[in-house]
Amino acid sequence: MKQALVIPLLAAASAGLSLAGEPAAKNPKAVVIPPPEPKIVTFDFQERLRFEYRENNFDFNDGVNSLTDDSWLLQRARLGIKVSPTDYLSFYVQGQSSLELDSDRPNEPGVMGAEGDDAIDLRQAYIKIGPKDLNVTIGRQILSYGDERLIGSFDWNNLGRTFDAVKFHYGTKDWNIEAFAATVVVPDSDDFNYSDLFDGNETGRNQIFSGVYLSTAALCPLGSTTDFYALHLHEEYPVGDTNFVTLGTRVKADVTKTGGWDFETEMAAQFGEVKDKDLSAFAGHWGFGYVWTKSAWKPRLFAEYNFATGDSNAKDGDVDTFQNLFPTNHKFYGYMDAFSWQNIHNPAVSFSVQPTKTVKLQLDYHAFFLADTNDAWYRANGVTAVRPIKGSASDFVGTELDFTATWKATKNLSFLAGYSHFFCGDYAKATGAADDADFAYVQATFDF
């Protein structure tokens, strides 16, 4: 009985040794496992809940119980379907439901900082034609470039940002280039969301935003990515048209290739017209730090300086205020969203650690000054002025301390918690109430 078992085992082992020594293609007995068939239809889903508490974030006044001094729950759900009948053709549709619950703020998105309700709407819907390295995407889609200082999805916001656009992409191993023509989609709580060109703002401004963005890793030997871009914005107003160009560059280190040295810079110049006034403006970001990549907690220390020009005279027919375009400002100039990349001096320091692979703790400190007190203090939306202009006031607006903790609990579930405190400075005191502000939040995100 034992001999009967040993003989076939030896035979199998001998066959295995023979197969291991021969290429599968030359051995007719080899078992070849074919690669998995690509999925023609795929789904994605995200559910996000965020509780927020805000006090004095908008008026910096303890004496007024504003509608914005409140707490609320932000709920957002997204469902996407992708159909890819071939490697050269795909269709994608994504719906979104976003709600602001138990809030006293107006229900209309953007009013008094509200994110509002948009119960069921179309977030993305596009067709992509061509292979991975050479393709065109047509329809409602996300545009995101660089660190999103000028063009981003603004995903912190409950609604986010998308565009109706045509985007061309061509790439190789070392570089890629994209060219696009787009118009931003405007949220509407009571109706289907239309883009600006199709009168989403009901102003007839016929916005067209276009550009070319080149990114390469071949120029810098220090393990960094270098970007170059040229952007153009056209809008029409009763008081005059807006047509201006933004030319910029960005360099960002890859700390895994620089021995832990962390550096980044982005600079952009603008010229043209804003509502028939001559525009000439500049903005820059410079940062340098170090990541202890071999340390267990991977501590990171980073210092940066952000600058953007302001306008010294609103009546001289010129505009010197940098136009922030379509950014994700929440990531850069304090988590209370009181500042944008406009009329600003902003030195900042950041320190973070990772106690485990799934947990990250970070502390940021910001100081804020106006580049020109004859121009406004602009919120993160780049449009709303926080205070009336007072040219004789000090340029020191205040400081902000931000603490955040993130936890990737599972592959599909993550948590974020944070607390921010704003300390009012001399400019705030000279232009109105100057009480400190607080912001706290807890967020859970499920992705599938």
Side-chain angles (χ1 to χ4, degrees), residues 127-433:
I127 177 174
K128 188 174 184 178
I129 306 169
K132 179 180 179 180
D133 295 334
L134 179 62
N135 54 70
V136 61
T137 305
I138 305 170
R140 184 162 297 184
Q141 58 190 281
I142 294 169
L143 295 180
S144 175
Y145 292 100
D147 290 325
E148 300 190 343
R149 290 182 183 273
L150 291 176
I151 309 170
S153 61
F154 192 22
D155 204 48
W156 169 261
N157 182 272
N158 215 34
L159 300 170
R161 180 188 295 119
T162 56
F163 296 82
D164 286 341
V166 176
K167 180 178 67 179
F168 170 82
H169 170 87
Y170 176 63
T172 67
K173 178 182 177 181
D174 294 323
W175 61 271
N176 66 76
I177 186 171
E178 291 192 348
F180 63 88
T183 178
V184 71
V185 176
V186 182
D188 189 332
S189 62
D190 299 320
D191 202 354
F192 181 78
N193 293 346
Y194 291 95
S195 55
D196 188 283
L197 184 63
F198 300 100
D199 212 19
N201 273 326
E202 298 182 354
T203 60
R205 69 179 184 178
N206 297 323
Q207 179 194 87
I208 300 177
F209 179 50
S210 56
V212 178
Y213 200 100
L214 171 68
S215 182
T216 178
L219 291 181
C220 183
L222 298 176
S224 64
T225 298
T226 304
D227 300 343
F228 301 95
Y229 52 84
L231 312 171
H232 178 261
L233 180 64
H234 167 83
E235 294 177 345
E236 299 171 5
Y237 296 91
V239 295
D241 293 351
T242 287
N243 284 287
F244 66 85
V245 173
T246 303
L247 301 178
T249 185
R250 167 182 170 268
V251 178
K252 189 176 183 70
D254 181 348
V255 295
T256 64
K257 300 177 181 178
T258 59
W261 293 106
D262 197 0
F263 58 87
E264 59 188 41
T265 181
E266 183 165 359
M267 294 175 286
Q270 296 177 330
F271 54 90
E273 294 183 333
V274 172
K275 298 181 181 179
D276 276 353
K277 293 184 177 181
D278 292 335
L279 170 67
S280 178
F282 173 80
H285 159 73
W286 301 269
F288 185 78
Y290 188 78
V291 182
W292 285 263
T293 55
K294 296 182 180 180
S295 174
W297 284 31
K298 293 182 173 57
R300 176 182 185 260
L301 181 63
F302 194 80
E304 64 180 277
Y305 171 63
N306 303 297
F307 169 74
T309 55
D311 191 29
S312 60
N313 188 345
K315 299 179 180 179
D316 62 1
D318 297 328
V319 176
D320 299 320
T321 308
F322 187 77
Q323 310 297 300
N324 205 179
L325 296 176
F326 306 97
T328 304
N329 278 333
H330 179 78
K331 299 193 293 183
F332 306 115
Y333 319 111
Y335 293 154
M336 295 183 77
D337 297 327
F339 295 87
S340 61
W341 210 17
Q342 295 175 281
N343 191 32
I344 190 176
H345 292 286
N346 170 218
V349 178
S350 173
F351 179 72
S352 65
V353 292
Q354 292 183 245
T356 72
K357 291 182 178 180
T358 61
V359 175
K360 181 179 179 180
L361 308 175
Q362 182 165 322
L363 184 65
D364 301 329
Y365 177 80
H366 292 265
F368 298 103
F369 304 81
L370 297 187
D372 198 311
T373 55
N374 292 298
D375 199 354
W377 163 10
Y378 296 98
R379 287 197 186 278
N381 62 15
V383 178
T384 307
V386 180
R387 288 290 170 85
I389 296 172
K390 188 172 183 179
S392 61
S394 165
D395 61 355
F396 175 53
V397 182
T399 59
E400 182 174 325
L401 196 63
D402 300 318
F403 173 75
T404 56
T406 58
W407 176 35
K408 183 73 173 176
T410 69
K411 178 183 177 181
N412 305 107
L413 181 64
S414 60
F415 295 92
L416 168 68
Y419 170 73
S420 300
H421 185 85
F422 189 85
F423 304 85
C424 286
D426 294 337
Y427 183 85
K429 295 174 183 177
T431 55

Side-chain angles (χ1 to χ4, degrees), residues 8-36:
L9 286 173
L10 290 174
S14 175
L17 290 172
S18 175
L19 291 176
E22 295 183 50
K26 295 182 179 180
N27 193 328
K29 296 182 180 180
V31 178
V32 179
I33 301 176

